[in-house]
Amino acid sequence: MLTIALSKGRILEQTLPLLEKAGLKIEQGELNSRKLILDTNLAEVKVIIIRATDVPVFVQHGAADLGITGKDVLLEHGSNGLFELLDLKIAKCKLMVAAQNKQKLEQNTLKVATKYVNSAKLHFQKQGQSCEIIKLYGAMELAPIVGLAHCIVDLVDTGNTIKANGLQAFEHITDISSRLIVNAASFKTKNAAIKSWADNIAKNL
Ligand code: PRT
Ligand code: MG
């Protein structure tokens, strides 16, 4: 038996076609149901659909053998007990520093609003920039407007969201895309099955 943890939301939409090309199908009825564990066209493969941030947790602890989630999530979670098999090149965006203007970034101690605490800390540490991180779970763009922070660290795709909130991106931290991850123990015990899935997905990318 192989269990695959998928991220719901925007990653899922782009994941399903990749899995189909690799031979794994989930019926629309299953997807529309409120079930958390879904059957697939293959008796030996089950799929669970959870929040992107929970995917590495399930995979790390072996509750899922494989998982698909964003690199942004993996950078925050760390790689304990799991590793990346494949860059799926879907749900692409960039992790960036944005502010109302460049002067806002010139602070002795920069106040940074973000949900990406580890990535933000590391970025400013590399620059020798002292910072205070204000952890938020959403609507980061609001923070500079109301004076909660000098800047934000957030994902940017088209740039429309930051622009609509009077912000500009000034620093590119890293490129983000979704990754196929595997539980370290499963990779040993179910190596043949996992490698064949990874190869099937890879050749259709
Ligand atoms: O939204 P919710 O809290 O329910 O869950 P979630 O945010 O975990 O899920 P979801 O479906 O939003 O997917 C998040 C994952 O998709 C991230 O972890 C990334 O790996 C990936 N991804 C790719 C993105 C974006 N692109 C993206 N643009 N996640 C979020 N955004 C947001 C961004 O935070 C900002 O608010 O979209 C806005 C910017 O988009 P533009 O096009 O206006 O620049
Ligand atoms: Mg979201």
Side-chain angles (χ1 to χ4, degrees):
M1 177 59 68
L2 213 57
T3 304
I4 309 179
L6 303 183
S7 297
K8 65 178 178 191
R10 76 178 80 206
I11 295 176
L12 185 66
E13 287 167 33
Q14 298 178 49
T15 299
L16 295 176
L18 289 186
L19 293 179
E20 283 218 6
K21 281 189 216 156
L24 189 76
K25 290 191 189 73
I26 307 164
E27 290 293 328
Q28 200 56 47
E30 284 287 299
L31 287 167
N32 294 342
S33 74
R34 286 173 178 256
K35 282 164 63 180
L36 299 174
I37 303 185
L38 307 185
D39 292 323
T40 68
N41 59 320
L42 305 174
E44 70 278 15
V45 181
K46 291 259 184 291
V47 159
I48 57 180
I49 298 181
I50 53 185
R51 290 191 77 134
T53 42
D54 289 337
V55 167
V57 180
F58 277 63
V59 173
Q60 174 186 352
H61 295 282
D65 303 296
L66 289 166
I68 292 178
T69 191
K71 181 67 179 176
D72 52 321
V73 170
L74 295 171
L75 288 170
E76 288 304 301
H77 180 85
S79 53
N80 229 340
L82 60 86
F83 47 82
E84 266 181 54
L85 278 180
L86 221 51
D87 180 351
L88 299 172
K89 301 189 167 78
I90 55 168
K92 286 191 196 170
C93 57
K94 294 177 167 62
L95 188 65
M96 304 200 79
V97 179
Q100 287 165 314
N101 55 61
K102 211 160 172 32
Q103 288 68 46
K104 298 278 185 190
L105 297 175
E106 290 159 13
Q107 310 289 337
N108 287 329
T109 298
L110 191 63
K111 282 199 270 176
V112 184
T114 189
K115 73 174 169 189
Y116 300 106
V117 173
N118 293 340
S119 296
K121 271 189 192 158
L122 195 65
H123 173 74
F124 291 113
Q125 200 173 35
K126 281 185 192 158
Q127 294 184 344
Q129 168 70 57
S130 154
C131 69
E132 180 193 330
I133 306 283
I134 297 157
K135 165 107 193 190
L136 294 178
Y137 293 87
M140 262 82 84
E141 300 84 7
L142 199 55
I145 302 172
V146 297
L148 180 61
H150 298 116
C151 66
I152 64 171
V153 165
D154 196 9
L155 302 176
V156 178
D157 179 17
T158 61
N160 290 340
T161 305
I162 54 170
K163 196 175 167 198
N165 289 290
L167 304 176
Q168 264 179 278
F170 289 104
E171 293 168 20
H172 172 262
I173 300 179
T174 187
D175 287 333
I176 301 294
S177 55
S178 294
R179 310 298 161 103
L180 179 69
I181 57 170
V182 62
N183 171 265
S186 299
F187 193 60
K188 288 184 189 156
T189 57
K190 304 179 184 179
N191 188 270
I194 286 170
K195 278 211 72 196
S196 118
W197 274 111
D199 289 347
N200 272 337
I201 294 171
K203 73 174 179 233
N204 286 300
L205 287 181

